[in-house]
Amino acid sequence: QRVRRAAGRVQARRHEGITVCFTDIKGFTPMAQSCDPMEVMHFLDELFNRLDELLAIISEEVFGDPALLYKIETIGDAFLVAAGLGL
């Protein structure tokens, strides 16, 4: 089911049998501090684009369901993916 919004708030839903994967790059902050900001942005853009492509391939070719894996969010160097939400 889709997320319901009421009066600007999101109502929580229960999902049975999902998997959540949270990734974070070890040592990212010191690396980012020692690099040019444009280099960091290019690195993250390339990385997350490749992860998006990989998720699409795995979801469709391995599991036969193009909507099985769903990227929830990218925040800085973090990447959050869920499987089995039925979205």
Side-chain angles (χ1 to χ4, degrees), residues 2 8 11 16 18 21 24-25 30 32 38 63-64 66 78 84:
R2 294 258 180 222
Q11 294 178 337
E16 298 291 333
I18 68 162
C21 176
D24 189 62
I25 301 171
M38 291 305 291
F63 295 106

Side-chain angles (χ1 to χ4, degrees), residues 3 6 8 11-12 16-19 23-24 26-27 36 47 53 68-69 71 74 76 79 84:
V3 174
Q11 294 178 337
E16 298 291 333
I18 68 162
T19 300
T23 65
D24 189 62
K26 182 177 180 180
D36 178 74
L47 176 65
E53 291 170 5
L68 179 69
L69 301 175
K71 178 175 71 175
T74 57
F79 191 84

Side-chain angles (χ1 to χ4, degrees), residues 40-81:
V40 175
M41 293 305 297
H42 179 72
F43 168 76
L44 290 174
D45 184 56
E46 286 289 316
L47 176 65
F48 292 148
N49 283 330
R50 289 183 183 181
L51 285 172
D52 287 340
E53 291 170 5
L54 187 58
L55 287 178
I57 291 168
I58 291 170
S59 192
E60 176 113 29
E61 294 182 14
V62 175
F63 295 106
D65 181 356
L68 179 69
L69 301 175
Y70 180 75
K71 178 175 71 175
I72 304 291
E73 189 79 46
T74 57
I75 305 167
D77 65 315
F79 191 84
L80 181 61
V81 177

